[in-house]
Amino acid sequence: MNKILIIEDEEAIAQLEKDYLELSGYSVEIESDGAVGLEKALKYPYDLLILDLMLPSLDGFEICQQIRKEKTLPILMVSARKEDIDKIRGLGLGADDYITKPFSPGELVARVKAHLARYDRIVESLMPENAVIKIRGIKIDTQSKEVWVSNEKKSLTSREYDLLEYFVKHPNQVLSKEDIFKELWNTDAIGDITTVAVHVKKLREKIEVDPAKPQYIETVWGMGYRFKV
Ligand code: CA
């Protein structure tokens, strides 16, 4: 399920957006404060951000700029004034889309769908066969089977490497423990599915800054894991 963060201080608008997006199958969180919203957007793996322009503590211009330095998720900027939209465009902040209030919830949902689909295609096009894969600070040489995280070389066992390569070649997809087990252990006579969680834990300890709050390999409760891009 795609996760969306709405940074919006007008409660009624935020709630309306949330209701419609949830009806369309998205998981949605609302944050009303600009600075807190920025912190959340940087810390957690959202798939898309809906960003109001005028916000308490930090405005949408600044938030958009800060996020673009670190993340590639789609950002939809929302403003009540047409002039603001023109200004955002002019500044080239890297927002993916601009919507003027008031807008119909149906239009918002349609745009969200389109941007999520477009990002999935971009991610797929970044996946060359038999080459070096670079994805959010992780670099993998699929021929020498070497891995770097933030330019620091990591020493992975061959099973951990296989697991990581499987994840990065299926970005943003939920992979069940069964999928992973079949992919990595199908030729083994021994072993059972609990070994998947053990290896995910070991891999997180090597690639995540804080394995307790993973930025790459996310647990999708009751379903499995997802490598976030
Ligand atoms: Ca506002």
Side-chain angles (χ1 to χ4, degrees), residues 123 127 164-175 183 225-229:
V123 167
M127 295 286 143
L164 180 61
E165 188 180 316
Y166 183 51
F167 272 124
V168 301
K169 287 188 168 171
H170 299 83
N172 292 335
Q173 288 177 35
V174 176
L175 303 173
E183 176 75 19
Y225 302 99
R226 175 163 65 165
F227 187 88
K228 293 289 305 169
V229 177

Side-chain angles (χ1 to χ4, degrees), residues 7-10 13 32 52-56 78-80 101:
I7 307 180
E8 167 68 72
D9 60 327
E10 282 170 73
I13 292 181
S32 59
D52 183 33
L53 194 56
M54 301 315 288
L55 290 161
V78 174
S79 174
K101 293 178 199 173

Side-chain angles (χ1 to χ4, degrees), residues 57-169:
S57 77
L58 198 61
D59 68 30
F61 293 115
E62 184 64 27
I63 294 171
C64 187
Q65 236 167 357
Q66 293 293 328
I67 291 171
R68 268 292 165 264
K69 285 183 193 160
E70 303 203 20
K71 291 209 168 182
T72 52
L73 81 168
I75 301 175
L76 270 66
M77 291 195 80
V78 174
S79 174
R81 302 195 317 159
K82 174 77 174 60
E83 308 87 86
D84 288 335
I85 302 288
D86 294 339
K87 191 174 163 199
I88 302 168
R89 281 215 176 87
L91 287 170
L93 296 175
D96 294 83
D97 208 349
Y98 319 90
I99 306 177
T100 317
K101 293 178 199 173
F103 47 82
S104 77
E107 186 192 350
L108 179 74
V109 170
R111 293 206 196 181
V112 164
K113 271 187 190 156
H115 285 289
L116 287 170
R118 190 172 61 84
Y119 263 65
D120 281 348
R121 289 196 300 275
I122 292 171
V123 167
E124 275 167 23
S125 72
L126 295 172
M127 295 286 143
E129 283 297 313
N130 302 318
V132 174
I133 299 172
K134 289 183 190 170
I135 201 161
R136 280 186 56 212
I138 292 184
K139 188 170 101 178
I140 300 173
D141 186 324
T142 57
Q143 284 174 333
S144 67
K145 299 193 186 295
E146 291 172 302
V147 174
W148 295 261
V149 180
S150 302
N151 293 321
E152 190 184 325
K153 195 164 173 204
K154 300 289 175 180
S155 173
L156 269 56
T157 65
S158 77
R159 196 77 90 186
E160 287 160 2
Y161 174 85
D162 289 343
L163 180 59
L164 180 61
E165 188 180 316
Y166 183 51
F167 272 124
V168 301
K169 287 188 168 171

Side-chain angles (χ1 to χ4, degrees), residues 5-9 30-40 51 55-58 63:
L5 176 65
I6 298 171
I7 307 180
E8 167 68 72
D9 60 327
I30 297 172
E31 176 51 55
S32 59
D33 180 79
V36 178
L38 172 62
E39 200 186 316
K40 273 192 175 177
L51 179 59
L55 290 161
S57 77
L58 198 61
I63 294 171

Side-chain angles (χ1 to χ4, degrees), residues 25-47:
Y26 300 109
S27 159
V28 182
E29 286 173 34
I30 297 172
E31 176 51 55
S32 59
D33 180 79
V36 178
L38 172 62
E39 200 186 316
K40 273 192 175 177
L42 291 176
K43 194 167 171 189
Y44 301 108
Y46 296 103
D47 298 290

